[in-house]
């Protein structure tokens, strides 16, 4: 099943990549979610070696480069995304190392090397959460930071209909699923918040912060009208789960 998911998802992302060019990169953590300039989860990144898991079009790495990081590393399943990121980052001040690879595998990324690893709306694509988090733990220096965001586990289990919130799926149900808002054949993974937390702990991380807040400005209302991540739905349940943790020294 894992290999089938990777093949299907790679094909899907290669096709839809242009639609997600620059979509919700850092300093954004997700739609209708608070931003890094509010949360300051990464702190001062100048001189840091950073790795982006699911780097997409490279815009989050570009944000890091503008904040004077020492090295930029990224991994993404999609060949199209990696080619796009290479073009976007060709004039970066910091050295760039990009790998076309599943996040479940190590394509040549050094161990115990990075100050910061992050993943913006990508972790739910993994076909093996434990292996991916084990890899992240291996990549980080002791005391290194891991920050990730993903669609909040409650969000896709409920729909906003008229003036009411309807639950369409049990919160306890986990595993592979076809996302309602994804318009190409693809398989994502759905977990409870506790599964993310417990797996991080079991992989050797110490949780520092969990964020489920939403950003509900008038600008957000206009940007997300009639979208999957709607302003009205976000008033009832969070769109995004953000977790910051540290590799134990």
């Amino acid at each position: 099943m894992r290999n089938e998911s990777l093949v299907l998802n790679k094909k899907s992302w290669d096709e839809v990549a242009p639609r997600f060019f620059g979509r919700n990169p850092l300093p954004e953590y997700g739609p209708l979610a608070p931003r890094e300039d509010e949360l300051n989860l990464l702190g001062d990144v100048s001189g840091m070696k950073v790795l982006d898991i699911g780097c997409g079009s490279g815009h989050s790495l570009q944000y890091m480069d503008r904040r004077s990081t020492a090295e930029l590393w990224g991994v993404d399943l999609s060949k199209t995304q990696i080619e796009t990121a290479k073009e976007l980052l060709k004039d970066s001040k910091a050295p760039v190392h990009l790998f076309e690879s599943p996040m479940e595998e190590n394509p040549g990324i050094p161990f115990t090397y990075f100050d910061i690893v992050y993943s913006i709306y990508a972790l739910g694509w993994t076909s093996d959460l434990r292996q991916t988090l084990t890899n992240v733990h291996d990549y980080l220096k002791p005391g290194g930071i891991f920050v990730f965001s993903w669609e909040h586990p409650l969000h896709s289990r409920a729909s906003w209909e008229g003036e009411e919130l309807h639950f369409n799926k049990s919160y306890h149900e986990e595993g592979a699923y076809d996302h309602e808002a994804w318009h190409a054949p693809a398989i994502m993974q759905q977990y409870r918040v506790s599964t993310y937390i417990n797996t991080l702990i079991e992989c050797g991380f110490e949780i520092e912060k969990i964020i489920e807040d939403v950003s509900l400005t008038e600008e957000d209302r206009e940007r997300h009208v009639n979208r999957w991540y709607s302003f009205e739905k976000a008033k009832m349940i969070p769109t995004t789960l953000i977790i910051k943790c540290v590799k134990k020294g």
Side-chain angles (χ1 to χ4, degrees), residues 223-242:
R223 285 177 60 195
H224 293 277
V225 65
N226 297 324
R227 290 190 179 182
W228 172 251
Y229 300 105
S230 72
F231 186 93
E232 288 73 20
K233 187 176 176 181
K235 287 193 292 186
M236 302 294 289
I237 56 175
T239 61
T240 303
L241 173 68
I242 308 168

Side-chain angles (χ1 to χ4, degrees), residues 9-224:
N9 290 348
K10 180 179 177 64
K11 183 176 185 295
S12 179
W13 266 108
D14 282 341
E15 292 175 358
V16 305
R19 181 158 63 95
F20 289 90
F21 181 80
R23 179 83 68 89
N24 295 119
L26 285 171
E28 295 183 58
Y29 280 106
L32 297 164
R35 296 159 53 97
E36 170 60 14
D37 33 18
E38 302 169 53
L39 300 173
N40 196 31
L41 299 178
L42 302 173
D44 181 3
V45 301
S46 59
M48 301 286 188
K49 297 170 183 173
V50 303
L51 170 62
D52 188 333
I53 303 293
C55 64
S57 54
H59 284 79
S60 289
L61 285 169
Q62 184 181 63
Y63 167 80
M64 287 296 204
D65 187 56
R66 289 170 177 167
R67 297 183 69 198
S68 302
T69 48
E71 295 181 21
L72 304 171
W73 295 65
V75 60
D76 199 279
L77 179 65
S78 165
K79 179 179 181 180
T80 305
Q81 292 283 53
I82 289 296
E83 290 175 348
T84 301
K86 285 180 178 177
E87 179 63 24
L88 182 77
L89 299 168
K90 65 182 181 182
D91 297 322
S92 297
K93 299 188 294 291
V96 178
H97 307 270
L98 300 176
F99 298 88
E100 178 192 337
S101 170
M103 64 181 76
E104 299 86 348
E105 300 172 9
N106 183 349
I109 297 170
F111 286 0
T112 322
Y113 189 76
F114 295 93
D115 303 288
I116 297 171
V117 178
Y118 65 88
S119 181
I120 308 302
Y121 257 69
L123 201 63
W125 287 96
T126 183
S127 60
D128 189 331
L129 180 64
R130 184 175 299 276
Q131 184 58 56
T132 296
L133 295 180
T134 297
N135 290 348
V136 171
H137 188 270
D138 288 340
Y139 301 149
L140 280 167
K141 298 175 182 177
I145 293 169
F146 176 47
V147 176
F148 78 88
S149 66
W150 179 245
E151 182 177 274
H152 195 283
L154 280 174
H155 193 272
S156 63
R157 290 169 163 89
S159 60
W160 182 254
E161 300 176 16
E163 297 296 320
E164 296 179 332
L165 193 66
H166 291 249
F167 278 84
N168 310 315
K169 188 188 298 184
S170 167
Y171 180 69
H172 304 292
E173 183 179 329
E174 297 188 298
Y177 75 111
D178 295 320
H179 197 294
E180 180 184 333
W182 195 256
H183 304 304
I187 299 172
M188 298 183 204
Q189 301 294 322
Q190 190 159 251
Y191 302 105
R192 295 174 296 176
V193 173
S194 60
T195 299
Y196 284 113
I197 293 170
N198 291 330
T199 308
L200 284 164
I201 292 169
E202 290 160 11
C203 288
F205 288 100
E206 186 173 293
I207 310 293
E208 282 206 346
K209 201 156 195 176
I210 299 173
I211 295 160
E212 300 175 289
D213 298 334
V214 293
S215 175
L216 297 175
T217 66
E218 196 58 39
E219 179 186 358
D220 291 317
R221 180 194 291 273
E222 293 172 5
R223 285 177 60 195
H224 293 277

Side-chain angles (χ1 to χ4, degrees), residues 238-249:
T239 61
T240 303
L241 173 68
I242 308 168
I243 297 182
K244 176 183 178 179
C245 50
V246 174
K247 178 176 178 174
K248 294 179 184 177

